[in-house]
Amino acid sequence: MSFTYLKQLPTPDEIKGQYPLSEKLAALKQERDQMISDVITGKDNRFLVIIGPCSADNEDAVLDYVTRLAPVAEKVKDKLILIPRIYTNKPRTTGSGYKGIASQPDPEKKPDMLAGLIAMRNMHIHAIEESGLTCADEMLYPENWGYVEDLLSYVAIGARSVEDQHHRLTVSGFDVASGMKNPTSGDFTVMLNSVYAAQHPHHFVYRGHEVETTGNPLTHVVLRGAVSKHGNSVQNYHYEDIMRLIDKYNQMELKNPAAVIDANHSNSGKQYKEQIRIVKEVMHNRKLSQDIRDIIKGVMIESYIEEGAQKVGSHIYGKSITDPCLGWKDSEKLIYDIAEMHI
């Protein structure tokens, strides 16, 4: 066999039993989940800002970041709902490189899946404790969902996962807002088919069990730009792109039409400072069109304490070891600008 079985991992219930979420924080999560749900369904006019590091590689720095975010969230709470990005699993285009704290609690050491599951859960719990904000994560591995299902208020499905049947079916069992990114090809139909699949009930195998799901009406799209056949970045956040998205949404029987704009990745060509301009263009276009205002429910921003990125082992506190991010000063100002531009 080509598999070497190293160890049997604890079940999600075992890990949750050892590292529980308090009743107080569980109530807070329920409240935040409902607020975010109300934005997606159009009951709440506030705007979602999903913001934080490209990868949550260091608990101390991540907690420092979310602690800074908390008072800003309080100041803009009448207009915005801030959702910290705490991404503990990182997709790798070639399969090599840092795969996130859920796999490598220490980026400079070998993978340790058990320690990673514990580090992932602890980081999310500590972030809620420190900031009063429940967070977003990317579901790269569907089988990991059970370890954090009681902690997350937002889940993203990445561009390389959105076409995968198992991801689509797993999201159909979620009860929180879930964003399906467009694939790297940029195909809107693939993305919307994924939303359709996740919004409907399914019967399948999950973690060794035969399961049924009811469908997730809070599933929506995330536009993150695309890559052309020549390897160039292609943006899809412009006015014309959103109008095309609205037209395609109207052709399908989907609940709660909604979109979030990812300001980095292929939309910015990974030029992290461009996120500021992109977000402001999105907010401007919401003013120009009621249809765009109705469908664009939020933005995603990659942001950390120090701007840019570093190589693993450089040990610059609060600086991304994956994609480059906005620094804190620019991020804070951008949040206030979004609140001012929101109508």
Side-chain angles (χ1 to χ4, degrees), residues 262-332:
D262 180 345
N264 213 12
H265 297 101
S266 291
N267 270 332
S268 69
K270 296 190 178 180
Q271 301 300 308
Y272 64 94
K273 288 258 189 180
E274 284 294 289
Q275 294 182 98
I276 299 170
R277 180 190 59 77
I278 291 166
V279 167
K280 290 182 178 180
E281 180 177 326
V282 170
M283 302 307 293
H284 175 69
N285 286 337
R286 291 181 82 248
K287 291 183 178 181
L288 297 179
S289 165
Q290 182 65 50
D291 290 338
I292 289 179
R293 191 182 317 155
D294 289 342
I295 201 167
I296 301 297
K297 305 293 187 179
V299 290
M300 286 184 176
I301 301 164
E302 292 196 321
S303 153
Y304 213 174
I305 296 169
E306 300 294 334
E307 69 176 21
Q310 63 180 321
K311 291 183 178 180
V312 173
S314 297
H315 302 293
I316 300 172
Y317 179 80
K319 193 169 188 175
S320 175
I321 61 170
T322 45
D323 289 350
C325 299
L326 281 181
W328 173 252
K329 189 174 293 186
D330 283 337
S331 301
E332 183 180 20

Side-chain angles (χ1 to χ4, degrees), residues 213-248:
T213 58
T214 57
N216 179 0
L218 301 177
T219 311
H220 57 276
V221 304
V222 178
L223 302 184
R224 48 87 72 198
V227 179
S228 75
K229 64 181 181 180
H230 303 296
N232 300 319
S233 291
V234 180
Q235 293 73 39
N236 60 11
Y237 61 85
H238 297 303
Y239 184 100
E240 295 80 7
D241 298 305
I242 308 307
M243 297 307 292
R244 183 165 64 91
L245 173 68
I246 292 169
D247 183 57
K248 284 194 168 292

Side-chain angles (χ1 to χ4, degrees), residues 157 161-164 167-169 171 180-181 188-200 202 219-220 252 254:
I157 305 301
S161 302
V162 73
E163 297 187 63
D164 177 64
H167 282 81
R168 293 176 171 191
L169 301 189
V171 174
M180 299 293 206
K181 290 196 173 186
F188 278 14
T189 301
V190 167
M191 173 178 64
L192 288 165
N193 284 342
S194 184
V195 172
Y196 184 94
Q199 286 192 354
H200 287 76
H202 294 285
T219 311
H220 57 276
M252 301 182 70
L254 295 172

